[in-house]
Amino acid sequence: MTQKKLHPSVSQFKEFVKNNPKLIKEVRKGQATWQELYEDWYLLGEEDSRWESMGSDTGSVDETSTESKGDWFSNIMGMVKKMDPNQMQNHMNNLSQALGAIQGVISQFQGENPGTGPVKPSEGPKHPFLFRKD
């Protein structure tokens, strides 16, 4: 069986999970999903304090969630610092194009209402320069 080539970031995440087996335990316990962990890893990076506290048996889940609530602002600021402006611009352009496409579809459906109907140009005379003879 051949394996598909993975995106480089997914391969890096798999290596990160291999080095941190406590993540597997968290997913098996139902305390996190792979998607959540991947997104956090991608946004926060491997050096974030979240990975140190995850899976530790010394603290309870309530203490971890309280700690993460207190660190919320610093996590947001850390993410803002790590953002790539070019990548954000590409995401914004894609979002803008998607919204434009949705607006186009909506306007097409609104134009087909029986009351309004599609707008047709008015029909003028067949010979616009027809002059009368005197």
Side-chain angles (χ1 to χ4, degrees), residues 35-78:
Q35 182 68 36
E36 291 170 350
L37 292 175
Y38 174 75
E39 289 172 358
D40 289 346
W41 171 83
Y42 189 78
L43 293 173
L44 303 174
E46 294 183 16
E47 290 80 27
D48 191 66
S49 62
R50 180 181 197 273
W51 309 121
E52 295 170 6
S53 63
M54 179 169 275
S56 62
D57 295 331
T58 57
S60 69
V61 174
D62 294 333
E63 290 173 5
T64 306
S65 63
T66 305
E67 180 181 315
S68 65
K69 288 178 186 176
D71 262 353
W72 181 79
F73 186 73
S74 62
N75 285 341
I76 296 295
M77 291 305 294

Coordinates of all heavy atoms in Angstrom, one line a residue, residues 35-78:
Q35 N -7.6 17.6 15.3 CA -7.8 18.9 14.6 C -7.4 20.1 15.6 O -6.7 21.0 15.2 CB -9.2 19.1 14.1 CG -9.4 20.3 13.3 CD -8.7 20.3 12.0 OE1 -8.6 19.3 11.4 NE2 -8.2 21.5 11.6
E36 N -8.0 20.1 16.8 CA -7.7 21.1 17.7 C -6.2 21.2 18.0 O -5.6 22.3 18.1 CB -8.4 20.9 19.1 CG -9.9 21.1 18.9 CD -10.6 20.6 20.2 OE1 -10.0 20.0 21.1 OE2 -11.8 20.8 20.3
L37 N -5.6 20.0 18.3 CA -4.2 20.0 18.6 C -3.3 20.5 17.4 O -2.4 21.3 17.6 CB -3.7 18.6 19.0 CG -4.3 18.1 20.3 CD1 -3.9 16.6 20.5 CD2 -3.9 18.9 21.5
Y38 N -3.7 20.1 16.2 CA -2.9 20.6 15.0 C -3.0 22.1 14.9 O -2.0 22.8 14.6 CB -3.4 19.9 13.8 CG -2.8 20.4 12.5 CD1 -1.5 20.1 12.2 CD2 -3.5 21.3 11.7 CE1 -0.9 20.6 11.1 CE2 -2.9 21.8 10.6 CZ -1.6 21.4 10.3 OH -1.0 21.9 9.1
E39 N -4.3 22.6 15.0 CA -4.4 24.1 14.9 C -3.7 24.8 15.9 O -3.0 25.8 15.6 CB -5.9 24.4 14.9 CG -6.7 23.9 13.7 CD -8.2 24.1 13.8 OE1 -8.7 24.5 14.9 OE2 -8.9 23.8 12.8
D40 N -3.7 24.3 17.2 CA -3.0 25.0 18.2 C -1.5 24.9 18.0 O -0.7 25.9 18.1 CB -3.3 24.4 19.6 CG -4.7 24.7 20.1 OD1 -5.3 25.6 19.5 OD2 -5.2 24.1 21.0
W41 N -1.0 23.8 17.5 CA 0.4 23.6 17.2 C 0.8 24.5 16.1 O 1.9 25.2 16.1 CB 0.7 22.1 16.9 CG 2.1 21.9 16.3 CD1 3.2 21.7 17.0 CD2 2.4 21.8 14.9 NE1 4.3 21.5 16.2 CE2 3.8 21.6 14.9 CE3 1.8 21.9 13.7 CZ2 4.5 21.5 13.7 CZ3 2.4 21.8 12.6 CH2 3.8 21.6 12.6
Y42 N 0.0 24.6 15.1 CA 0.3 25.4 13.9 C 0.3 26.9 14.3 O 1.2 27.7 13.8 CB -0.7 25.2 12.8 CG -0.4 25.8 11.5 CD1 0.5 25.3 10.7 CD2 -1.0 27.0 11.1 CE1 0.9 25.8 9.4 CE2 -0.7 27.6 9.9 CZ 0.2 27.0 9.1 OH 0.6 27.6 7.9
L43 N -0.6 27.4 15.1 CA -0.7 28.8 15.5 C 0.3 29.2 16.6 O 0.9 30.2 16.5 CB -2.1 29.1 15.9 CG -3.2 29.1 14.8 CD1 -4.6 29.3 15.4 CD2 -2.9 30.1 13.8
L44 N 0.4 28.3 17.6 CA 1.2 28.6 18.8 C 2.7 28.2 18.7 O 3.5 28.8 19.3 CB 0.6 28.0 20.0 CG -0.9 28.4 20.3 CD1 -1.4 27.6 21.5 CD2 -1.0 29.9 20.6
G45 N 2.9 27.2 17.9 CA 4.3 26.7 17.8 C 4.6 25.6 18.8 O 3.8 25.4 19.7
E46 N 5.7 25.0 18.7 CA 6.1 23.9 19.6 C 6.6 24.3 20.9 O 6.6 23.6 21.9 CB 7.2 23.0 18.9 CG 6.8 22.3 17.7 CD 7.9 21.5 17.1 OE1 8.9 21.2 17.8 OE2 7.7 21.0 15.9
E47 N 7.0 25.6 21.0 CA 7.6 26.1 22.3 C 6.5 26.7 23.2 O 6.9 27.2 24.3 CB 8.7 27.1 22.0 CG 9.9 26.6 21.4 CD 9.8 26.3 19.9 OE1 8.9 27.0 19.3 OE2 10.4 25.5 19.4
D48 N 5.3 26.6 22.9 CA 4.2 27.2 23.7 C 4.1 26.5 25.0 O 4.3 25.3 25.1 CB 2.9 27.2 22.9 CG 1.9 28.1 23.6 OD1 2.1 29.3 23.7 OD2 0.9 27.6 24.1
S49 N 3.7 27.2 26.1 CA 3.5 26.7 27.4 C 2.3 25.7 27.4 O 2.3 24.8 28.4 CB 3.3 27.8 28.4 OG 2.1 28.5 28.1
R50 N 1.4 25.7 26.5 CA 0.3 24.8 26.4 C 0.8 23.3 26.4 O 0.2 22.4 27.0 CB -0.5 25.0 25.2 CG -1.8 24.1 25.1 CD -2.5 24.5 23.9 NE -3.9 23.9 23.9 CZ -4.2 22.7 23.5 NH1 -3.3 21.9 23.1 NH2 -5.5 22.3 23.6
W51 N 1.9 23.1 25.7 CA 2.4 21.7 25.5 C 3.0 21.2 26.8 O 3.0 20.0 27.1 CB 3.3 21.6 24.4 CG 2.8 22.2 23.1 CD1 3.3 23.3 22.4 CD2 1.6 21.9 22.4 NE1 2.5 23.6 21.3 CE2 1.4 22.7 21.3 CE3 0.6 20.9 22.7 CZ2 0.3 22.7 20.4 CZ3 -0.5 20.8 21.8 CH2 -0.6 21.7 20.7
E52 N 3.6 22.1 27.6 CA 4.2 21.7 28.9 C 3.1 21.2 29.9 O 3.3 20.3 30.6 CB 5.0 22.8 29.5 CG 6.2 23.2 28.6 CD 6.8 24.5 29.1 OE1 6.4 25.1 30.1 OE2 7.7 25.0 28.4
S53 N 2.0 22.0 29.9 CA 0.9 21.6 30.9 C 0.0 20.5 30.4 O -0.6 19.8 31.2 CB 0.1 22.9 31.1 OG -0.6 23.3 30.0
M54 N 0.0 20.2 29.1 CA -0.9 19.2 28.6 C -0.4 17.8 29.0 O 0.7 17.5 28.9 CB -1.0 19.2 27.1 CG -1.9 18.2 26.5 SD -2.3 18.4 24.8 CE -3.7 19.5 25.0
G55 N -1.3 17.0 29.5 CA -1.0 15.7 29.9 C -0.3 15.5 31.2 O 0.0 14.4 31.6
S56 N 0.0 16.6 31.9 CA 0.7 16.4 33.2 C -0.3 15.9 34.2 O -1.4 16.3 34.3 CB 1.3 17.7 33.6 OG 0.2 18.7 33.8
D57 N 0.2 14.9 35.0 CA -0.7 14.3 36.1 C -0.7 15.2 37.3 O -1.4 14.8 38.3 CB -0.2 12.9 36.4 CG -0.3 12.0 35.2 OD1 -1.2 12.3 34.4 OD2 0.5 11.1 35.0
T58 N 0.2 16.2 37.5 CA 0.3 16.9 38.7 C -0.9 17.8 38.9 O -1.4 18.1 40.0 CB 1.5 17.8 38.7 OG1 1.5 18.6 37.6 CG2 2.8 16.9 38.7
G59 N -1.5 18.4 37.8 CA -2.6 19.3 38.0 C -3.9 18.7 37.4 O -3.9 17.8 36.6
S60 N -5.0 19.2 37.9 CA -6.3 18.7 37.4 C -6.7 19.5 36.2 O -6.1 20.5 35.8 CB -7.4 18.9 38.5 OG -7.6 20.2 38.7
V61 N -7.7 19.0 35.5 CA -8.2 19.7 34.3 C -8.6 21.1 34.6 O -8.4 22.0 33.8 CB -9.3 18.8 33.6 CG1 -9.9 19.6 32.4 CG2 -8.8 17.5 33.3
D62 N -9.3 21.3 35.8 CA -9.8 22.6 36.1 C -8.6 23.6 36.3 O -8.7 24.8 35.8 CB -10.6 22.6 37.4 CG -11.9 21.8 37.2 OD1 -12.4 21.7 36.1 OD2 -12.4 21.2 38.2
E63 N -7.5 23.2 36.9 CA -6.4 24.1 37.0 C -5.8 24.4 35.7 O -5.4 25.6 35.4 CB -5.3 23.4 37.9 CG -5.7 23.3 39.4 CD -4.7 22.4 40.1 OE1 -3.6 22.1 39.6 OE2 -4.9 22.2 41.3
T64 N -5.7 23.5 34.8 CA -5.2 23.7 33.4 C -6.1 24.7 32.7 O -5.6 25.6 32.1 CB -5.1 22.4 32.6 OG1 -4.4 21.5 33.4 CG2 -4.4 22.6 31.3
S65 N -7.4 24.6 32.8 CA -8.3 25.5 32.0 C -8.2 26.9 32.7 O -8.3 27.9 31.9 CB -9.7 25.0 32.0 OG -10.2 24.9 33.3
T66 N -8.1 27.0 34.0 CA -7.9 28.3 34.6 C -6.7 29.0 34.2 O -6.6 30.2 33.9 CB -8.0 28.1 36.2 OG1 -9.2 27.4 36.5 CG2 -7.9 29.5 36.8
E67 N -5.6 28.2 34.1 CA -4.3 28.7 33.7 C -4.4 29.2 32.3 O -3.8 30.2 32.0 CB -3.2 27.6 33.9 CG -1.8 28.1 33.5 CD -0.8 27.0 33.6 OE1 -0.8 26.3 34.7 OE2 0.0 26.9 32.7
S68 N -5.0 28.4 31.4 CA -5.1 28.8 30.0 C -6.0 30.1 29.9 O -5.7 30.9 29.0 CB -5.6 27.7 29.2 OG -7.0 27.4 29.5
K69 N -7.0 30.2 30.7 CA -7.8 31.5 30.7 C -7.0 32.7 31.1 O -7.1 33.7 30.5 CB -9.0 31.3 31.6 CG -10.1 30.4 31.0 CD -11.2 30.3 32.0 CE -12.2 29.2 31.5 NZ -13.3 29.1 32.5
G70 N -6.1 32.5 32.0 CA -5.3 33.6 32.5 C -4.2 34.0 31.4 O -3.8 35.1 31.3
D71 N -3.8 33.0 30.6 CA -2.8 33.2 29.6 C -3.4 33.5 28.2 O -2.7 33.7 27.3 CB -2.0 31.9 29.4 CG -0.7 32.0 30.2 OD1 -0.4 33.1 30.7 OD2 0.0 31.0 30.2
W72 N -4.7 33.7 28.2 CA -5.4 33.9 27.0 C -4.9 35.1 26.2 O -4.6 35.0 25.0 CB -6.9 34.1 27.3 CG -7.8 34.3 26.0 CD1 -8.2 33.4 25.2 CD2 -8.2 35.6 25.5 NE1 -8.9 33.9 24.2 CE2 -9.0 35.3 24.4 CE3 -8.1 36.9 26.0 CZ2 -9.6 36.3 23.6 CZ3 -8.7 37.9 25.2 CH2 -9.5 37.6 24.1
F73 N -4.8 36.2 26.9 CA -4.3 37.5 26.2 C -2.9 37.3 25.7 O -2.6 37.7 24.6 CB -4.4 38.7 27.2 CG -4.1 40.0 26.5 CD1 -5.0 40.5 25.6 CD2 -2.9 40.6 26.8 CE1 -4.7 41.7 25.0 CE2 -2.6 41.8 26.1 CZ -3.5 42.4 25.3
S74 N -2.0 36.7 26.5 CA -0.6 36.5 26.1 C -0.6 35.6 24.9 O 0.3 35.7 24.0 CB 0.3 36.1 27.2 OG -0.2 34.8 27.7
N75 N -1.4 34.6 24.8 CA -1.5 33.7 23.7 C -1.9 34.4 22.4 O -1.4 34.2 21.4 CB -2.4 32.5 24.0 CG -1.9 31.5 24.9 OD1 -0.7 31.4 25.1 ND2 -2.7 30.6 25.5
I76 N -2.9 35.2 22.6 CA -3.4 36.0 21.4 C -2.3 36.9 20.9 O -2.1 37.0 19.7 CB -4.7 36.8 21.8 CG1 -5.8 35.9 22.1 CG2 -5.0 37.8 20.6 CD1 -6.3 35.1 21.0
M77 N -1.6 37.6 21.8 CA -0.5 38.5 21.4 C 0.6 37.7 20.7 O 1.2 38.1 19.8 CB 0.0 39.3 22.6 CG -1.0 40.3 23.2 SD -1.6 41.4 21.9 CE -0.1 42.3 21.5
G78 N 0.9 36.5 21.2 CA 1.9 35.7 20.6 C 1.5 35.3 19.2 O 2.3 35.2 18.3

